[in-house]
Amino acid sequence: MKKLFALLPILIIVAASCRPKGGMDANTGYFSITALRDSLTKGKPVLKFKKTLFVEGKSETQTITDSLHLQIAFFEHFEINKPAYRGAYAVDTIASTPDSSGICIDEKYTKNEEFKFPVTYFSHSKCQNGHTYITAKSIESNLLTTITQTLSIKADNNRFLSYSYEIHETLNGGASSSTIIMLKLAE
């Protein structure tokens, strides 16, 4: 019995080292939004933001000072670089020129129909001038509701600039509601 207890720490170490890593350490070949979030929030910066909330057509804007980490923690919901998601997305990479950003490399990830993961679409553009653009869409349905979440992010040389986050909820057989949150660095 004592020999079994002596082997237990070795088994735990071996089992832990064999476990697949998630987030930015995952090797799925997909872009990691949590790795971007972590690079943007390195040092836990406290910044001044202009935050606008739109609810059912009415809006309110405030200037706030807060931790960037707290304001973008929800980005993890749109993470597709997970071991369980391996093979779930078709990747299309092209070079484009969307605006004055110069040449951009666009990666578009489209979910294969046989997978039931919430993130249905994800695109990442990295431009010569350092701009990064991300667009992601998530759809989750159950017996009562369908919730569609859309996120658009703009960053510059690993510096957060802005995001727009929309949540659209539809009650099956009932009403729907829409909320939009826009956050950008205050000038």
Side-chain angles (χ1 to χ4, degrees), residues 84-116:
Y85 290 12
R86 189 180 319 273
Y89 294 89
V91 182
D92 186 24
T93 303
I94 57 171
S96 67
T97 312
D99 55 26
S100 61
S101 301
I103 296 175
C104 298
I105 302 299
D106 300 333
E107 293 181 333
K108 297 181 188 317
Y109 303 86
T110 307
K111 184 180 69 140
N112 297 328
E113 291 299 320
E114 67 265 15
F115 292 95
K116 302 294 181 203

Side-chain angles (χ1 to χ4, degrees), residues 20-39:
K21 296 178 180 176
M24 56 194 261
D25 293 331
N27 189 16
T28 60
Y30 302 145
F31 180 81
S32 176
I33 197 166
T34 56
L36 174 68
R37 179 202 61 202
D38 293 347
S39 71

Side-chain angles (χ1 to χ4, degrees), residues 31 58 67 112 131 154 158 171:
F31 180 81
K58 296 178 182 171
S67 165
N112 297 328
H131 284 134
K154 184 177 179 182
N158 282 331
L171 294 171

Side-chain angles (χ1 to χ4, degrees), residues 2 4 22 36 48 50 68 76 100 110 139 153 158 163:
K2 288 183 180 180
L4 287 177
L36 174 68
K48 194 172 195 178
K50 180 178 174 185
L68 177 60
E76 188 169 313
S100 61
T110 307
I139 300 174
I153 304 168
N158 282 331
Y163 76 67

Side-chain angles (χ1 to χ4, degrees), residues 1-109:
M1 189 72 157
K2 288 183 180 180
K3 290 180 181 178
L4 287 177
F5 283 117
L7 289 175
L8 188 59
I10 295 170
L11 290 174
I12 291 172
I13 292 170
V14 169
S17 65
C18 294
R19 193 173 354 156
K21 296 178 180 176
M24 56 194 261
D25 293 331
N27 189 16
T28 60
Y30 302 145
F31 180 81
S32 176
I33 197 166
T34 56
L36 174 68
R37 179 202 61 202
D38 293 347
S39 71
L40 293 174
T41 60
K42 192 173 188 174
K44 306 261 191 232
V46 174
L47 304 167
K48 194 172 195 178
F49 302 102
K50 180 178 174 185
K51 190 170 192 175
T52 304
L53 177 66
F54 297 89
V55 179
E56 302 305 323
K58 296 178 182 171
S59 69
E60 182 178 327
T61 301
Q62 290 184 349
T63 301
I64 61 170
T65 301
D66 199 3
S67 165
L68 177 60
H69 180 73
L70 293 175
Q71 292 295 321
I72 66 174
F74 72 94
F75 283 11
E76 188 169 313
H77 175 77
F78 296 94
E79 178 63 68
I80 62 172
N81 192 35
K82 298 179 180 179
Y85 290 12
R86 189 180 319 273
Y89 294 89
V91 182
D92 186 24
T93 303
I94 57 171
S96 67
T97 312
D99 55 26
S100 61
S101 301
I103 296 175
C104 298
I105 302 299
D106 300 333
E107 293 181 333
K108 297 181 188 317
Y109 303 86

